[in-house]
């Protein structure tokens, strides 16, 4: 396999909403392929015809060993802190990049390049040149895994994660903060070492987490029938999501109070039998509470999986990037379907310009 085959790449599409067209994640160790999107509109930089290319990004495991069939071999874990050699290349505005890492769908904090670096859920960095390979290393102790386990590692890039609307010149994320994923398996030759909890970023802001289901309604199907017709048959193969803030789907930004609680509801529905782990993020840090950090949902025909939670507003900054990431757990059970990581469009939760001093 040529080195370029170790990368996944994408362009970014901005229409009314961001469409993320990813690669199939049926087998995380399969030879990696390419996916691309077209850019039709960028609210931050439009051309004469309202069209502009924001940039492109590709990333993958550095020089992964292959078996006789060209399939990428799993990574072995033999205890202690684990290192993954990785590489990224990008152009244009995509050179500002950050990565989220998951093991078996659970958010994995990591160190960047050295064991002396702090654990973070996302490290953001700026690539210096267009289309130049930049090698780096993920360093971490796995958050889960027992001897004999083979668990998927999912690595998702986030495009221009440093951007946040200032509510003066910009009010939305536009095509920014879309994702592109890569995957591989991790074989545990021994139990994962205990991870020092005090070393992990803690955003303990979630409370009253409740998982439930509700029926799919015709109103819900019509709501999602914007780019294409969505009916019960479509739900057999595709997955859709909605993020509600205080009972309504919000676009771009939402003004919140200084204190008290904000009620959020995340809904996931579609492809029967698919299991996902869902994680809430504020400013690219996984949110936690006494109920945990990630929440598993299983999709069933005719049902919507619902996660309700409250967010403690006094623990938020004045400007906050909020989103939910859903990582598939059993994509291998559906080898003929395209099953990928899903991220809701980033939403700005802000406490008002007079409070922030912006």
């Amino acid at each position: 396999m040529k080195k370029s085959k170790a990368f996944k790449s994408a362009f970014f599409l901005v229409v009314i909403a961001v469409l993320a067209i990813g690669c199939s994640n049926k087998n995380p160790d399969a030879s990696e392929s390419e996916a691309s999107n077209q850019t039709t509109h960028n609210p931050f930089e439009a051309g004469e015809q309202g069209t502009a290319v924001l940039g492109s990004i590709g990333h993958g495991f550095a020089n992964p060993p292959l078996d006789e069939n060209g399939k990428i071999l799993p990574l072995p874990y033999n205890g202690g802190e684990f290192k993954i050699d990785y590489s990224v290349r990008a152009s244009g505005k995509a050179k500002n990049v950050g990565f989220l890492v998951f093991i078996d769908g659970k958010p994995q904090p990591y160190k960047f390049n050295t064991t002396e670096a702090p654990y973070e859920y996302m490290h953001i960095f700026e690539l210096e040149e267009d289309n130049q390979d930049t090698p780096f290393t993920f360093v971490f102790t796995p958050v889960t895994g027992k001897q004999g386990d083979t668990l998927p590692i999912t690595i998702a890039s986030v495009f221009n994660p440093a951007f946040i609307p200032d509510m003066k010149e910009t009010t939305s994320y536009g095509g920014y903060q879309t994702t592109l994923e890569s995957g591989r398996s991790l074989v545990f030759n021994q139990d994962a070492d205990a991870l020092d909890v005090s070393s992990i970023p803690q955003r303990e802001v979630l409370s009253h987490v409740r998982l439930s289901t509700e029926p799919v309604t015709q109103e819900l199907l019509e709501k999602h029938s914007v780019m294409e017709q969505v009916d019960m048959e479509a739900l057999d193969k595709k997955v859709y999501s909605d993020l509600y803030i205080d009972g309504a789907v919000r676009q771009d930004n939402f003004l919140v109070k200084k204190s008290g609680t904000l009620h959020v509801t995340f809904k996931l529905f579609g492809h029967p039998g698919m299991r996902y782990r869902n994680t809430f993020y504020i400013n690219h840090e996984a949110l936690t509470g006494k109920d945990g950090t990630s929440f598993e949902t299983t999709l069933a025909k005719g049902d919507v999986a619902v996660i309700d939670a409250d967010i403690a507003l006094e623990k938020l900054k004045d400007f906050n990037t909020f989103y939910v990431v859903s990582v598939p757990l059993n994509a291998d059970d559906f080898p003929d379907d395209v099953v990928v990581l899903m991220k809701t469009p980033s939403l700005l939760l802000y406490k008002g310009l007079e409070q922030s001093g912006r």
Side-chain angles (χ1 to χ4, degrees), residues 197-209:
V197 176
S198 65
S199 68
I200 304 174
Q202 299 290 320
R203 293 297 300 271
E204 297 181 2
V205 302
L206 287 181
S207 63
H208 302 101
V209 179

Side-chain angles (χ1 to χ4, degrees), residues 48-179:
E48 292 182 0
Q49 303 300 322
T51 302
V53 174
L54 297 175
S56 64
I57 184 171
H59 55 86
F61 298 88
N63 302 314
L66 311 176
D67 66 14
E68 63 276 8
N69 297 316
K71 182 179 177 181
I72 299 176
L73 293 172
L75 292 160
Y77 176 74
N78 298 309
E81 281 197 322
F82 184 65
K83 294 183 179 180
I84 297 177
D85 293 325
Y86 211 73
S87 187
V88 59
R89 62 170 177 255
S91 66
K93 293 182 178 294
K95 293 199 297 295
N96 181 268
V97 62
F99 288 92
L100 298 171
V101 179
F102 303 87
I103 295 184
D104 198 28
K106 297 180 180 180
Q108 173 67 62
Y110 62 91
K111 302 175 181 179
F112 187 68
N113 282 335
T114 71
T115 58
E116 289 74 30
Y119 269 113
E120 295 185 53
Y121 283 105
M122 177 187 285
H123 291 257
I124 300 174
F125 55 101
E126 192 80 30
L127 301 176
E128 295 182 358
E129 299 182 26
D130 283 347
N131 295 315
Q132 294 295 314
D133 292 351
T134 300
F136 64 96
T137 302
F138 297 105
V139 181
F140 58 84
T141 298
V143 293
T144 188
K146 297 291 186 181
Q147 184 176 4
D149 287 347
T150 298
L151 301 178
I153 293 181
T154 304
I155 299 175
S157 61
V158 178
F159 167 49
N160 202 2
F163 176 79
I164 189 167
D166 60 12
M167 292 307 294
K168 292 183 178 180
E169 297 183 0
T170 55
T171 59
S172 77
Y173 294 84
Y176 294 157
Q177 303 198 6
T178 52
T179 60

Side-chain angles (χ1 to χ4, degrees), residues 271-303:
H271 200 309
M274 276 303 307
R275 295 187 297 115
Y276 288 86
R277 280 206 175 95
N278 310 278
T279 304
F280 295 82
Y281 285 85
I282 287 284
N283 295 330
H284 313 299
E285 291 187 1
L287 302 187
T288 64
K290 67 178 182 179
D291 299 297
T293 302
S294 57
F295 309 96
E296 185 173 334
T297 54
T298 300
L299 302 186
K301 190 174 182 64
D303 283 345

